[in-house]
Amino acid sequence: MKLSFKPPILILGLILLLGLFFRTYKSVEQFDFGHDADLYSWIVKDIVVDHHIRLIGQLTSAPGIFIGPLFYYSIIPFFVLGNMNPLSTIIFAAFLGLCTILSYYFVVGKLFNKETGLISAFLYSCLLVTINYDRLVVPTITTSIWAIWYLFVIVKISRRDFSVLPILGILVGLIWHIHIALIPTLIAIPVAFFISKIIPTRKQILLFFLAIFVTSIPLLAFELRHNFQQTIALFQNFTSSHEGKKGFDKLLQVLYMIAQNTNSLIFSPLSFKFTENLFFVVLLLVSPLAILKQKIIFLGDLIPIYSWVLGMMLFFALSSSPVSEYYFSNMQVIFIVILSILLAFLFKKSKILSVFVLSVLGFILIKNIYFITTVDIYHKGYAEKKAIIDVIKADMISKNYPCVGISYITTPGENVGFRYLLYLNNVHLNHPSVKIPVYNIIIPDELSPEQKLKFGHIGLILPQGKFENLQDECSSENTNLTDSVFGFVK
């Protein structure tokens, strides 16, 4: 007698509840509000309050290249319903996470079987890396849902199902709206077509290009208006020489990042010597070859997937551009799906193995509940920053300050996440000087020995003394509104 997942809809409902718990547990207390959050809030303000219809989002780390505007327009309804409070994006992130869990169940269940679909949905719902990724509200948050549907499309094409070409067109067009690091994954498309050994119909090809065109309208419009600025910048970025590792050292760096990402995905926050190296990655990738005869997964499915991994690896190894671990986050779907296939195969093999698989999944759940509920948070996020700005505003009112200055005592890059909150509180800023009240914000609070108010690990020193002629000093423009915001282009 074998165990089975029955009824699957009830189990899927429980998985979604787990996913919701993991993505909303202490979400307000743990809501980070750094530069990216300040920036997307500023862009939403530009659209909603300043009525500026935008074709681009923020400037990326690659000079001259912007992120597309889709993410920013997607969070506008949540900002509006939340009275322009950025805390409302927590709802957006949780909703997107649940949609991704459902996508795993649907996609993997359709490609393989319902047991594999449920296990993949469970893993995505409960693994710490995917949980933390979904809780981090940034434009690249949509990478996971993009990746699972991209895997669906390339496997379907390799199986000669070209009805998915419009979906592929949408996904290709969305790359600019998510992250250009997804471009190397496109090598899997011609490989999948080669495996299929047939050519799509003219109608299917037309629908593919029409879908690309529709999702690329903001990009095309911007490029036409600005003399193909981003196209030129993209070419220059990939062809110019950059500082950093090159050659074999760059390849080792890329392989190390992939190995670390894979180890973290499955075992975080734990790590083992056996699993934090390339050997484990290769072992996991080739493991489905051992069950090809079971006809759960086929060699034609794996070859485009392998080309996806190889394309990412070689592109960034050969590119002179600096790389980061999150460039390879789109590969998470490959390892989750392969692991799900193996576990589902064992689950259906015998009752003993079914119990073993359920024990493994139960251990993952208990371990991650423990870590998500006991993690030690360094408190310098939204809650602490909002509390500081609220105190500054209240102090300004009580002392009748028409304007103030803000000075930061911190390391470079830590003085972020305050601009939009100052705007929400209608705080009139001037550049700090001895002629106006200046509030000193210390991050972390230990950097200053002076007596101060403490909000988590952020300190605040109130201005002392009397200030004369403030009306004259404060007659200038609000510098919080006129000073540039890094990454923001009007």
Side-chain angles (χ1 to χ4, degrees), residues 40 87 93 130-131 173 228 270 291 296 304 328 375-376 378 381 408 425 456 463 478:
Y40 68 63
L87 198 62
T130 56
I131 293 167
F228 297 93
L270 307 174
I291 59 171
I296 301 170
F328 305 99
V375 64
D376 185 19
Y378 195 80
Y408 299 95
N425 279 270
N478 185 348

Side-chain angles (χ1 to χ4, degrees), residues 61-325:
S61 57
I65 300 175
F66 300 86
I67 292 176
L70 181 61
F71 166 78
Y72 308 94
Y73 283 104
S74 299
I75 60 178
I76 283 176
F78 299 90
F79 264 85
V80 173
L81 292 173
N83 197 27
M84 297 302 288
N85 190 327
L87 198 62
S88 59
T89 57
I90 292 175
I91 303 172
F92 166 78
F95 174 74
L96 184 63
L98 294 181
C99 288
T100 307
I101 295 169
L102 280 171
S103 295
Y104 265 84
Y105 172 71
F106 176 84
V107 166
V108 180
K110 284 288 185 182
L111 293 179
F112 306 107
N113 52 59
K114 73 174 186 297
E115 289 84 3
T116 308
L118 285 169
I119 291 175
S120 68
F122 174 84
L123 291 176
Y124 187 85
S125 172
C126 298
L127 291 175
L128 288 179
V129 167
T130 56
I131 293 167
N132 291 329
Y133 196 91
D134 284 349
R135 289 171 70 109
L136 188 63
V137 186
V138 290
T140 54
I141 194 175
T142 51
T143 298
S144 296
I145 196 168
W146 184 95
I148 184 61
W149 283 102
Y150 183 65
L151 182 133
F152 177 74
V153 166
I154 62 171
V155 172
K156 279 289 190 179
I157 291 174
S158 69
R159 294 179 181 179
R160 301 183 177 185
D161 183 355
F162 298 140
S163 65
V164 297
L165 283 181
I167 301 176
L168 177 60
I170 292 172
L171 294 174
V172 173
L174 288 177
I175 288 177
W176 177 59
H177 295 272
I178 302 172
H179 201 287
I180 58 173
L182 294 173
I183 290 176
T185 67
L186 300 183
I187 188 63
I189 298 174
V191 173
F193 276 110
F194 178 79
I195 295 298
S196 71
K197 296 182 179 179
I198 60 174
I199 300 174
T201 65
R202 289 183 180 179
K203 180 180 178 181
Q204 290 167 335
I205 295 173
L206 178 62
L207 289 174
F208 167 68
F209 283 107
L210 180 62
I212 293 179
F213 173 77
V214 171
T215 49
S216 300
I217 287 175
L219 174 61
L220 295 172
F222 181 86
E223 291 296 87
L224 288 171
R225 289 182 61 181
H226 297 275
N227 300 316
F228 297 93
Q229 168 189 325
Q230 293 187 92
T231 305
I232 296 170
L234 182 65
F235 178 78
Q236 290 175 341
N237 185 65
F238 286 143
T239 56
S240 301
S241 179
H242 299 270
E243 294 183 3
K245 295 182 179 181
K246 297 178 182 178
F248 187 68
D249 287 340
K250 184 67 173 295
L251 175 61
L252 290 178
Q253 182 188 29
V254 168
L255 294 177
Y256 175 78
M257 288 181 177
I258 293 174
Q260 290 296 306
N261 280 8
T262 307
N263 173 78
S264 297
L265 173 66
I266 300 173
F267 300 105
S268 179
L270 307 174
S271 184
F272 310 96
K273 288 185 177 180
F274 174 73
T275 61
E276 60 183 7
N277 56 65
L278 188 62
F279 174 76
F280 178 72
V281 175
V282 174
L283 181 64
L284 192 57
L285 286 172
V286 302
S287 57
L289 297 175
I291 59 171
L292 287 180
K293 291 184 180 180
Q294 305 299 321
K295 296 184 179 180
I296 301 170
I297 190 170
F298 305 96
L299 185 61
D301 301 337
L302 290 170
I303 292 176
I305 293 173
Y306 291 157
S307 69
W308 176 345
V309 175
L310 192 62
M312 290 292 297
M313 182 184 73
L314 292 179
F315 179 84
F316 287 107
L318 295 174
S319 170
S320 62
S321 300
V323 295
S324 179
E325 287 86 351

Side-chain angles (χ1 to χ4, degrees), residues 450-469:
E450 293 186 48
Q451 186 175 2
K452 52 191 172 293
L453 302 175
K454 291 181 65 174
F455 303 84
H457 290 281
I458 307 179
L460 175 66
I461 301 175
L462 302 178
Q464 302 297 323
K466 295 183 179 180
F467 301 91
E468 299 178 352
N469 301 319

